[in-house]
Amino acid sequence: MMDSYINKVYGGFLGMSVGVRLGAPVEPPVWSDKLINQVYGNVEGYLKDYKNFAADDDTNGPIFFIRALLDDARNRELEPQDVGKAWLNYSREGIGMFWWGGEGVSTEHTSYMNLKRGISAPRSGSAEVNGLISAEQIGGQIFIDSWGLLFPNDPSKAADYAEKAASVSHDKNGLYGARFMAACISKAFTTKSIDEIIAAGYDEIPSSSTYAELVSAVIKFHENNPDDFRSCRQFLEEEWGYDKYTGVCHIIPNAGVCILSLLYGNGDFSKTIEIATMCGWDTDCNAGNVGTIVGVLNGVQAIPDHYRSPINDALVASSVSGYLNNVDIPTFVKELAALGYRLANENIPEELEKHLNNSELDFDFNLEGSTHGFRSDKSLKVFSRHHKTQGKNGKGSLEIVFDRLLEGDREHVYYKPFYRREDFDDERYKPVFSPKVYSGQTMSLSVLMDKWYGEEVFLIPYVRTTDNKEELFGESVTLKNQEWQDVEFVIPDTKGSLIDEIGFVLESPSPRENRAFGCLYVDRFRVFGKADYTIDFNKQYEEFKCITPFSHNRGEWTLQEGKMIAESDGDATSYTGNYYSSDYELSADLTPLVGEHHSLLFRGMGIQRHYLAGFDGEGQVSLIVNDFGYTRLASTPYEWEKNKSYKFSVYCEADLLTFKINGETVIEYKDDSYKNGMVGIGLIEEGRAEITSFSMVEK
């Protein structure tokens, strides 16, 4: 059962990702269904190649809004305001996560500002507050995929939780769309019938609703015209089109496309998402929703490689946490499945539980065809998705074909633990990143070589720094044929640079007439150990409206002559580092320039959950906890001056929090509100400061 559940969750989440990527290029309203047909004809593959697919609201929501179950509703039923808190805690104001199109225009923007003003969910998304047109926009059903994945074969529960989540920003038909889609996803775990899936969704919405009327109308049209989806799309245009359901992307016309796609796709993964894309309107949303449903229905093995390979198990998001924004899909799927077991009051299977250490990279390649985002130089032509060999530590391994290595060749196989602006073709939803690997940590992997021809092959572990693309190498390992070997590499000091590649290089002294040719199998790739994280601002960049490797919420953050300048007319915070780091020493050289509050931020669980320690008014320093509002835990007199540099240091050890200035302990306090989290800089009122050094060493 475990393998079946995880496989279908994997298929559903990948299916969503594929659908969103397929539909994204023709999402803008100028792309009508007729123009899509004129330009592309029958869609049978991705319409655009991406270096890496940028962040998208359709994937941001399913990744982050379920964190309400981790942060608040851990041992009780979910409530709408739990999801509202997740919105406020993980969404940077005005940037990323969803479309910030203006209050009264963007439903999500409007609802977020309602939440900030103290209007709690579900009232924050109600038609009474926002108006019916806003409340019934498409967002009600595009953020809900994970709720269906968490409740296999329990459509009612999936629908209930999806409705609670959607009520943060939607109402009426906006909620019915959430219920319908989540129920369909849930039912897809245990049936092969599209009709049964749609019936399960229909059963979870009011039969008198416009949404239910639409479902029935599309079903009836399909019964009478089962072979021509374009005629059904024309029917939707005439009877249920945007001219009748106004606003920005109303849910009703797009729901019609989803139902049409499921019926005319008849369970085939590719056909379903392709029809959803060819129909136009909100293409990435619709193809993403139906991609989840048919991805669960058929399992991951039914996703064709021409759709799956470009995804490569890698997704990026645009929350406040740069660490969480670099999403390894198999790891996320395992966390989602573990949460599903917990919600069902079932024990998490041992094989799953032992790979749930989200504070480090741990790739086992056990999920069918998983790559965990590994990539290679173009001459390494094949990443196989078939587990042809038993892994050393599990049932799977990553198979890499090395194709006729020649003396002088240096072929890279690597994972990207950090992204830059140059890695993307566009800036949709402004993803920001913190590194996932650091100096001082250890990379380990197991490898087996199956050599077919050629001379010896050498494996050399390495990391690459992003500012100057310098490669730092470990010791060369001579690979032995048909023998598992363990390789370890301690990541060297990068001197304030960030690491954007980690992996290994393959070399061979093979002559042209006898080139090295064969397979390499990789099992259990890990990066673990205590991080030594130093940021040199001379090696950072202003990208995605942030300073690498920080994500900022409010304020203006700039680089000037090797310094980071923080300036704000109110509260502003900045975040970096491993979201799951717990015990560490954080240090920064900070010069207060304007204002009375300047602090280090630590154990940051989000925008509304973190600690601050620093100057807090004239002649005072404070330790402050933010839990959707600031509380001063401890304050003490300290005479400080503007335009003078101070060394701030915070030591976190279990519940003991120590704050030092220039090496002198000024506050020592015990508190266990937050046990782990990001690090950064905070201003809680108007101010300006410059930061000239920043480091975090795990203990």
Side-chain angles (χ1 to χ4, degrees), residues 38 44 99 370 404 412 446 476 485 628 639 646 649:
Q38 177 184 326
E44 295 179 340
W99 178 50
S370 58
R404 293 164 294 169
H412 298 72
S446 298
S476 177
Q485 295 171 257
F628 291 85
E639 295 302 322
Y646 295 88
S649 300

Side-chain angles (χ1 to χ4, degrees), residues 100-205:
W100 298 87
E103 289 194 73
V105 180
S106 163
T107 305
E108 289 75 29
H109 189 157
T110 303
S111 300
Y112 176 92
M113 296 309 296
N114 287 342
L115 292 169
K116 278 210 70 176
R117 287 189 286 261
I119 303 174
S120 298
R123 186 168 167 76
S124 58
S126 67
E128 179 185 1
V129 172
N130 300 333
L132 185 62
I133 290 176
S134 180
E136 292 193 334
Q137 300 307 295
I138 195 172
Q141 67 190 26
I142 69 173
F143 301 140
I144 57 78
D145 303 75
S146 292
W147 303 107
L149 297 174
L150 285 172
F151 296 101
N153 198 34
D154 194 349
S156 294
K157 192 72 169 181
D160 289 346
Y161 271 47
E163 178 180 355
K164 291 175 182 179
S167 71
V168 174
S169 51
H170 291 79
D171 199 357
K172 309 295 183 182
N173 283 297
L175 300 185
Y176 307 151
R179 294 188 64 85
F180 181 89
M181 292 298 173
C184 286
I185 294 166
S186 175
K187 184 63 177 178
F189 278 91
T190 53
T191 183
K192 289 296 183 182
S193 167
I194 291 294
D195 291 342
E196 290 182 10
I197 288 171
I198 293 175
Y202 186 90
D203 287 345
E204 295 302 327
I205 61 177

Side-chain angles (χ1 to χ4, degrees), residues 20-60:
V20 171
R21 179 175 177 142
L22 177 65
V26 289
E27 177 191 14
V30 294
W31 283 102
S32 67
D33 62 315
K34 294 175 179 60
L35 185 57
I36 293 169
N37 187 35
Q38 177 184 326
V39 174
Y40 293 107
N42 288 327
V43 171
E44 295 179 340
Y46 288 125
L47 306 178
K48 180 178 178 180
D49 292 328
Y50 295 93
K51 298 175 188 176
N52 296 283
F53 186 59
D56 196 285
D57 60 337
D58 300 80
T59 51
N60 283 331

